[in-house]
Amino acid sequence: MFAKEGLEGVIAARTAISLIRGEDGSLGYRGYAIGDLARNSNFEETTYLLWYGELPKTDELAAFVATLRKSRDLSPGVADLIARWPRSAEPIDLLRTAVSTMASDDPDVADNSEAANRRKGTRIAAAMPTIVAAYRRLAAGLAVVAPDPALSHAANFLFMLRGRRPETIEAEALDLALVLQADHGLNASTFAARVAAGTLADLHAAVTAAVATLKGPLHGGAASEVILTMQAVASPSNADAYVARQLADRRKIAGFGHRIYQHSDPRTPPLREMLWRLAKHKNLERWSALAGAISDAVRKHSRIEPNVDFYTASVYDLLEIDGSTFSSVFACARIAGWVAHVIEQHSDNRLIRPGEEYLGPLARRYVPITQRQ
Ligand code: COA
């Protein structure tokens, strides 16, 4: 039986990691509603929840956080790769290659057991922000900032990117975005990770495939395009005409629409609220007003709702994260889900190999090269 284009509606894995209900716009990780986690959890705890299936007790979280913090430094091989990488490249290309390079000196690389996957996952998740920040700073002509073990995952990420300790609200904003993007069912990059893991390839290989998949503008690349849209609109008063023109020309507006959520994306309300709080705090309310005007205009002309990328992009911009880095920051969140899915895939594996419908010619006779017309 032929599935719909894009495998829409096909159930391709059994999972206990996240539950997405498109019709009522809800999302939960391991049975906890995303809104509850957004209010009460942080990225480290949410990652533990995704990898172990349970919220950690105090000592479990402390040990997990300590291991993450200890694993932020880069190996000489990865540091050298970043130093030599062309500065004009897309940051996500470097991140993909750096994750792959990490396999070369990971002592557990060939071990696909649950415990080894968690150890490797911790090392990759801890190092990814260091990789992203180091490359961003070098590309901007700035000195690399070493990780600060006194800071949380999100606060340290901002510190390494910007070279100054973030304000509390700034670290909270990035932490929120990381929690909300930590997992999302069988999205394209997670599916790619599971397909790779399904061949019994190791975690580094699966994460490399996932980062590669996240690059596309229909997935992780949408956020940086949101900023281009906001810059093109420039003022709330231009939003209506801009959106009407884009839709009339049948052009997609980045940061809107979703394959699963027909009405609203449950990750957007907490981010929207954070955008408004952060903009007020920074006296940049014209930025949140612009985002509001664009989403109102899209809703008016098409009833298509903003997705998580629309608000993460607006928040990242206020955090002074460069647009070229957005998809890499997304990867630093989604690593939590990728690792959880690889552990799940390896624990009950069957090769993922769907069929195909052949549409090409049949029964052709081989013609020797000298006789071809
Ligand atoms: N802007 C304008 N129209 C949009 C739209 C958008 N962002 N998203 C969907 N639509 C329209 C399509 O043009 C299509 O209209 P049609 O039926 O008249 O042809 C319809 O809605 C269905 O869209 P389609 O692209 O087939 O849905 P999909 O499930 O394949 O794609 C996305 C989902 C996310 C890829 C799509 O909404 C999109 O491209 N959004 C912009 C990129 C983005 O924000 N990605 C991040 C996702 S978290």
Side-chain angles (χ1 to χ4, degrees):
M1 191 185 68
F2 181 69
K4 259 181 145 178
E5 299 294 348
L7 298 183
E8 185 175 348
V10 171
I11 308 293
R14 292 197 169 85
T15 183
I17 300 169
S18 59
L19 173 63
I20 309 172
R21 287 211 177 98
E23 29 345 308
D24 63 4
S26 70
L27 166 65
Y29 299 160
R30 302 281 190 189
Y32 294 94
I34 194 69
D36 209 2
L37 293 169
R39 268 187 306 279
N40 299 305
S41 191
N42 58 37
F43 182 69
E44 290 88 328
E45 185 186 67
T46 296
T47 302
Y48 185 102
L49 171 68
L50 289 168
W51 293 3
Y52 290 84
E54 299 295 336
L55 285 169
K57 299 195 184 75
T58 308
D59 56 333
E60 291 168 334
L61 182 60
F64 185 61
V65 166
T67 315
L68 268 173
R69 289 184 187 200
K70 270 194 300 212
S71 312
R72 287 175 179 162
D73 289 325
L74 305 180
S75 69
V78 172
D80 184 53
L81 176 85
I82 299 171
R84 286 186 292 106
W85 200 259
R87 303 286 179 254
S88 56
E90 286 196 41
I92 192 103
D93 293 343
L94 176 266
L95 179 63
R96 184 186 61 227
T97 308
V99 168
S100 185
T101 304
M102 283 182 76
S104 60
D105 54 18
D106 194 301
D108 292 313
V109 71
D111 185 348
N112 284 346
S113 69
E114 203 167 320
N117 276 341
R118 287 202 195 105
R119 287 196 298 274
K120 289 184 282 187
T122 306
R123 293 193 276 268
I124 299 172
M128 279 171 70
T130 316
I131 294 165
V132 172
Y135 181 64
R136 173 62 205 147
R137 288 190 64 86
L138 288 174
L142 300 165
V144 171
V145 175
D148 181 346
L151 296 178
S152 72
H153 195 75
N156 175 60
F157 196 177
L158 280 175
F159 172 63
M160 293 188 299
L161 276 167
R162 308 186 315 184
R164 62 176 197 278
R165 282 172 175 250
E167 294 182 77
T168 305
I169 187 174
E170 292 180 315
E172 272 173 29
L174 180 58
D175 187 61
L176 176 70
L178 296 178
V179 167
L180 293 170
Q181 295 181 98
D183 191 49
H184 205 234
L186 217 53
N187 59 89
S189 57
T190 303
F191 186 49
R194 287 192 79 130
V195 170
T199 69
L200 295 183
D202 56 70
L203 182 72
H204 287 83
V207 172
T208 304
V211 179
T213 309
L214 192 70
K215 184 178 179 185
L218 298 186
H219 193 11
S224 51
E225 293 193 16
V226 169
I227 298 303
L228 300 180
T229 301
M230 290 179 77
Q231 285 164 352
V233 175
S235 153
S237 58
N238 299 333
D240 197 82
Y242 178 92
V243 166
R245 202 168 49 247
Q246 293 291 110
L247 293 174
D249 293 347
R250 298 199 61 77
R251 267 190 248 144
K252 287 232 177 121
I253 301 170
F256 289 84
H258 202 276
R259 170 68 61 84
I260 309 282
Y261 299 120
Q262 278 102 44
H263 308 297
S264 64
D265 181 334
R267 300 165 296 176
T268 56
L271 275 171
R272 186 179 186 284
E273 195 197 317
M274 179 54 84
L275 170 65
W276 257 251
R277 263 179 63 203
L278 194 59
K280 187 157 188 259
H281 177 80
K282 288 178 171 269
N283 235 347
L284 287 169
E285 281 145 310
R286 60 189 153 76
W287 190 243
S288 48
L290 180 59
I294 295 172
S295 65
D296 287 349
V298 176
R299 198 172 288 128
K300 175 179 147 197
H301 289 285
S302 72
R303 295 218 216 108
I304 297 172
E305 291 289 326
N307 58 46
V308 68
D309 282 331
F310 184 67
Y311 289 112
T312 47
S314 329
V315 166
Y316 291 164
D317 196 77
L318 284 180
L319 293 175
E320 300 157 52
I321 300 174
D322 188 72
S324 66
T325 304
F326 287 178
S327 51
S328 301
V329 178
F330 187 170
C332 292
R334 190 54 58 84
I335 182 65
W338 292 334
V339 173
H341 280 269
V342 170
I343 290 172
E344 197 174 57
Q345 183 69 37
H346 279 160
S347 71
D348 184 20
N349 187 59
R350 183 147 194 254
L351 180 77
I352 300 171
R353 204 302 187 191
E356 65 281 320
E357 183 186 7
Y358 177 70
L359 299 175
L362 294 168
R364 299 170 98 187
R365 193 179 59 82
Y366 182 84
V367 182
I369 196 161
T370 51
Q371 294 168 27
R372 289 178 206 160
Q373 307 280 339

